[in-house]
Each structure stands twice: as structure tokens, then as C-alpha cells.
Amino acid sequence: MLALIEAAANAGADMCKTQCWHPDHMVRDPAAVIQGGPWADRNLAQLYQECWTPFDWIPAIAEAAAKHGIEWFASVFDHYALEVLEKNGCPRYKIASCEIVDIPLIEAVAAKGKPM
């Protein structure tokens, strides 16, 4: 992840975005299996467990972005992730497409008074 931030900065990017969610908060049915596509027949909960950005990486991501002169921000998926990002000084938020109907989450993010 940190090498990607450096590469983005070297390529002229002025921002980098990560996604912030915890795998335990992403799936209602831990036995759900993906139907079709490149991950067909994979357990959805296991896939989320494999590909999440651990919350303890967030400070290093922010530090690497600052070191390379670019801003970092995150897609936020739930209230818990929002609080983790707030504790780490996230300056702006993206609402993930799948959360665009989560009005309580959007209201919570808007209440932070930051660009979204």
C-alpha cells in the first residue's frame, strides 16, 4: 500500500483513496457465496477478510501520503469505520456506491463537516 502511494505521487497524483471497513461488518450471512464473476463460488465473508485494509494501517497511510505531498482520504462503509477515520484525521470522505442508500451513514459523515 505504501509503495502504491509513492508511485501515485511520483506519477503526479495529488490524492490517494483507500477503503475503510471491517470484514465483520460487511456480510449479514457469513455463509453467503458469490454467484458469478471472477470470484464465483467464493465465500463472501472470507473474501472480505482477505482484502480489507487493517485499521492499524491507517496512520501509516496518512503519514506516507503527507511524506509524498498528496492528500489521503477514504471510502467509508459504516459508522465504526467513520470513527476510526475521524481518529486518524481523515480530511474528506467518499460514500461507497453500495452505501449510497444508507441515509444514516451519509448523515453521520455530513455531520463531520468535511467534504464528501
Side-chain angles (χ1 to χ4, degrees):
M1 171 82 61
L2 303 182
L4 291 173
I5 294 170
E6 181 178 10
N10 290 341
D14 48 13
M15 291 184 159
C16 64
K17 181 189 76 69
T18 191
Q19 295 185 354
C20 191
W21 43 268
H22 193 283
D24 292 346
H25 300 171
M26 294 299 286
V27 180
R28 289 179 193 229
D29 177 4
V33 174
I34 300 168
Q35 305 296 313
W39 296 290
D41 302 322
R42 293 279 315 270
N43 175 278
L44 185 57
Q46 289 174 350
L47 184 61
Y48 276 122
Q49 187 63 44
E50 290 174 23
C51 66
W52 75 299
T53 302
F55 291 159
D56 61 353
W57 290 13
I58 300 296
I61 291 168
E63 184 179 311
K67 174 183 171 186
H68 295 290
I70 63 176
E71 183 178 333
W72 73 280
F73 67 106
S75 291
V76 60
F77 288 75
D78 61 35
H79 296 269
Y80 181 64
L82 177 60
E83 293 312 312
V84 168
L85 291 166
E86 279 294 293
K87 289 177 184 173
N88 285 281
C90 189
R92 66 183 64 239
Y93 296 100
K94 178 183 182 293
I95 300 298
S97 300
C98 58
E99 302 304 331
I100 201 67
V101 295
D102 187 342
I103 302 305
L105 176 63
I106 293 169
E107 290 173 342
V109 173
K112 301 302 180 188
K114 298 177 180 178
M116 60 186 270

